Amino acid sequence: MLNKIVLMGRLTRDPELRRTQSGTAVTSFSIACDRDFKSQSGEKETDFIDVVAWRNTAEFVSKYFAKGRMAVVEGRLQIRDWTDREGGKRRSAEVVADNVYFGDSKRDSGGEYGGSYGAPPAYGAPAASGRAPASGFGGGSDFAEIGEEDGELPF
């Protein structure tokens, strides 16, 4: 069986980081995804999809994403049955995120570091040494910025 989902949309609200009793990080948010087609009235419809992320993914989303930021969510669909306060049976669908990626660049999202929602240090300006700043995502960078005065490209 296969339960794999990939979505791209804008966050409709800021992520909410919480911790379980055992200290595990969990973040919930929702994204708005436009449909690829128009309705009979000629308008595009939008789906609002609830997403939950756990552990490191939860901490990453709560730190670097905010309302309005474009996100690509990769995960699985989960259906939960529950009982409301009046005793009625309810059913909810949500995406459990395995990975969440930036769906826009800092340039696209407005402002030097993406407007009000910022960006990780790895996406900042190169350090004074001419090298890109070290990234928290897999170690430092061995790439250096090539200025126009360098002449030919090295490839």
Side-chain angles (χ1 to χ4, degrees):
M1 304 290 170
L2 179 65
N3 183 355
K4 183 84 167 172
I5 189 164
V6 178
L7 302 166
M8 182 173 182
R10 295 202 179 272
L11 274 70
T12 62
R13 58 186 164 90
D14 289 339
E16 300 170 17
L17 179 64
R18 300 178 312 279
R19 301 239 177 230
T20 63
Q21 289 180 347
S22 62
T24 304
V26 58
T27 298
S28 58
F29 58 98
S30 62
I31 60 173
C33 299
D34 288 337
R35 294 185 182 174
D36 290 338
F37 54 90
K38 294 182 180 179
S39 66
Q40 288 183 340
S41 64
E43 295 182 25
K44 276 207 168 204
E45 294 185 16
T46 302
D47 293 305
F48 298 92
I49 301 167
D50 293 327
V51 181
V52 63
W54 293 86
R55 297 174 188 79
N56 291 340
T57 305
E59 292 177 1
F60 173 76
V61 169
S62 69
K63 185 173 182 180
Y64 296 117
F65 286 84
K67 179 179 178 179
R69 187 81 196 247
M70 182 74 72
V72 178
V73 177
E74 180 182 79
R76 63 183 168 85
L77 184 63
Q78 177 175 284
I79 308 296
R80 292 186 299 123
D81 294 317
W82 51 284
T83 306
D84 64 17
R85 293 181 182 179
E86 290 80 40
K89 299 288 183 183
R90 308 282 287 177
R91 178 171 265 200
S92 298
E94 63 189 3
V95 173
V96 178
D98 294 325
N99 296 297
V100 177
Y101 306 98
F102 294 107
D104 56 5
S105 67
K106 65 181 181 183
R107 187 177 307 121
D108 295 339
S109 56
E112 182 180 1
Y113 294 109
S116 62
Y117 25 79
Y123 294 107
S129 66
R131 299 178 72 129
S135 168
F137 308 104
S141 174
D142 291 331
F143 295 102
E145 185 173 327
I146 299 174
E148 291 182 29
E149 67 278 351
D150 290 342
E152 294 184 26
L153 295 175
F155 50 86

